[in-house]
Amino acid sequence: MNSTTDLPTYTQEAMEAWFCQVTSHGSRLLSHGVVPKIEPKFVSCSLEEKSVTLSFDVLEWELNPQNAIYGGIIATAFDTTLGLLCHYFTKPQVVITVSLNTTYHKPMFLGDTYYIKAKMDFQGRSLCNITGEAWSKKDSSITASATSVFKALRETQNNPLI
């Protein structure tokens, strides 16, 4: 970054606009890989809380033989949601997942929608600790939780979000 105009803008409005942009159809985030397949939708964010909430529908292709959503799909949704929050606060740097620990509390089934709320617990120079909870729209119960560590690399080349 060469000037103060290159610095990220941290306002509630700028945060909402950024999350709307990266989760909208046609964004680079949704142009390839697994993320567009799980169809993340922006719900809300809070600059004061350093949090974001995304929603995901349980889709037929995501079901395991017991007709519940695969745990790996939920882990991917956590990685996406928590990673985007880290990326917002460390942009324009590339963000990589160091660890993601997911705990499953109850299954979700076809036709349900679940929400994931990510909250920044700690942000250092290059590491961020973020926690998340998933809950079912159907009955508002907590279905899974996650803790993660992300590393912001000091490079911006080939960053798909900027």
Side-chain angles (χ1 to χ4, degrees), residues 86-87 89-91 93-96 98 123-128 150-155:
C86 181
H87 185 79
F89 285 104
T90 60
K91 64 187 176 184
Q93 297 161 352
V94 174
V95 172
I96 60 169
V98 174
Q123 180 181 357
R125 274 187 332 143
S126 65
L127 294 177
C128 297
F150 290 90
K151 181 168 181 64
L153 304 177
R154 297 290 175 208
E155 54 191 66

Side-chain angles (χ1 to χ4, degrees):
M1 290 187 217
N2 297 332
S3 71
T4 57
T5 59
D6 293 331
L7 294 174
T9 304
Y10 292 114
T11 65
Q12 181 64 34
E13 295 76 22
M15 187 179 190
E16 289 171 8
W18 188 84
F19 278 103
C20 283
Q21 178 187 6
V22 298
T23 58
S24 67
H25 292 290
S27 72
R28 293 183 75 184
L29 174 70
L30 299 181
S31 67
H32 67 285
V34 70
V35 177
K37 291 176 176 35
I38 62 173
E39 302 178 7
K41 296 168 201 70
F42 173 69
V43 175
S44 65
C45 61
S46 170
L47 182 64
E48 183 178 339
E49 286 184 358
K50 288 191 169 185
S51 67
V52 66
T53 302
L54 301 182
S55 71
F56 303 83
D57 295 324
V58 177
L59 305 171
E60 189 168 354
W61 71 269
E62 300 170 331
L63 300 179
N64 64 24
Q66 291 80 36
N67 286 319
I69 190 170
Y70 270 102
I73 300 294
I74 296 168
T76 300
F78 272 120
D79 195 37
T80 301
T81 307
L82 281 59
L84 283 174
L85 183 64
C86 181
H87 185 79
Y88 178 76
F89 285 104
T90 60
K91 64 187 176 184
Q93 297 161 352
V94 174
V95 172
I96 60 169
T97 307
V98 174
S99 67
L100 177 66
N101 299 306
T102 306
T103 302
Y104 304 95
H105 304 285
K106 63 180 274 189
M108 290 179 289
F109 299 95
L110 185 64
D112 201 356
T113 296
Y114 60 102
Y115 298 90
I116 294 181
K117 181 175 185 178
K119 188 167 190 251
M120 178 80 69
D121 292 328
F122 171 80
Q123 180 181 357
R125 274 187 332 143
S126 65
L127 294 177
C128 297
N129 294 349
I130 302 175
T131 54
E133 284 190 331
W135 70 94
S136 167
K137 179 179 181 180
K138 195 177 291 184
D139 63 8
S140 299
S141 63
I142 300 295
T143 58
S145 54
T147 59
S148 64
V149 176
F150 290 90
K151 181 168 181 64
L153 304 177
R154 297 290 175 208
E155 54 191 66
T156 58
Q157 216 169 18
N158 299 320
N159 191 335
L161 298 179
I162 59 172

